[in-house]
Amino acid sequence: MSAKVKCRHCSRNLGEIDDTKQVQQLIQQQSLTQEELNDILQEGEQGELNVLLVCEECEDILSQNPSLFELENFIH
């Protein structure tokens, strides 16, 4: 099964990676807490793996408005 990469803020589809196990291994090699891992890797409704990152547009908005980092989702 593949992993779908999406923006955590605007839900834009950023791509798809065929090797789910490799994605999990790469992310788990980072020095992240379990809570951070749970925020990045989420299971979808149909059992697929979703990797939640931040797209360039949302990153630009966040860098211009640092107070938005406090919000889990700033686009409604």
Side-chain angles (χ1 to χ4, degrees), residues 3 13 20 23 25 29 34 37 40 46 49 56 61 69:
N13 186 10
T20 302
V23 171
Q25 289 172 350
Q29 288 175 358
Q34 188 61 45
L37 284 172
I40 294 171
Q46 299 173 355
L49 178 66
E56 288 183 40
I61 292 168
F69 275 105

Side-chain angles (χ1 to χ4, degrees), residues 17-64:
I17 302 170
D18 291 331
D19 192 349
T20 302
K21 290 182 190 242
Q22 184 178 17
V23 171
Q24 289 174 322
Q25 289 172 350
L26 287 171
I27 291 175
Q28 290 173 348
Q29 288 175 358
Q30 306 303 311
S31 57
L32 302 171
T33 66
Q34 188 61 45
E35 185 177 331
E36 291 169 325
L37 284 172
N38 292 341
D39 281 344
I40 294 171
L41 299 175
Q42 295 185 350
E43 188 174 326
E45 294 175 6
Q46 299 173 355
E48 74 277 6
L49 178 66
N50 290 318
V51 181
L52 302 179
L53 303 176
V54 180
C55 71
E56 288 183 40
E57 289 82 8
C58 289
E59 182 66 34
D60 288 343
I61 292 168
L62 287 166
S63 65
Q64 294 172 15

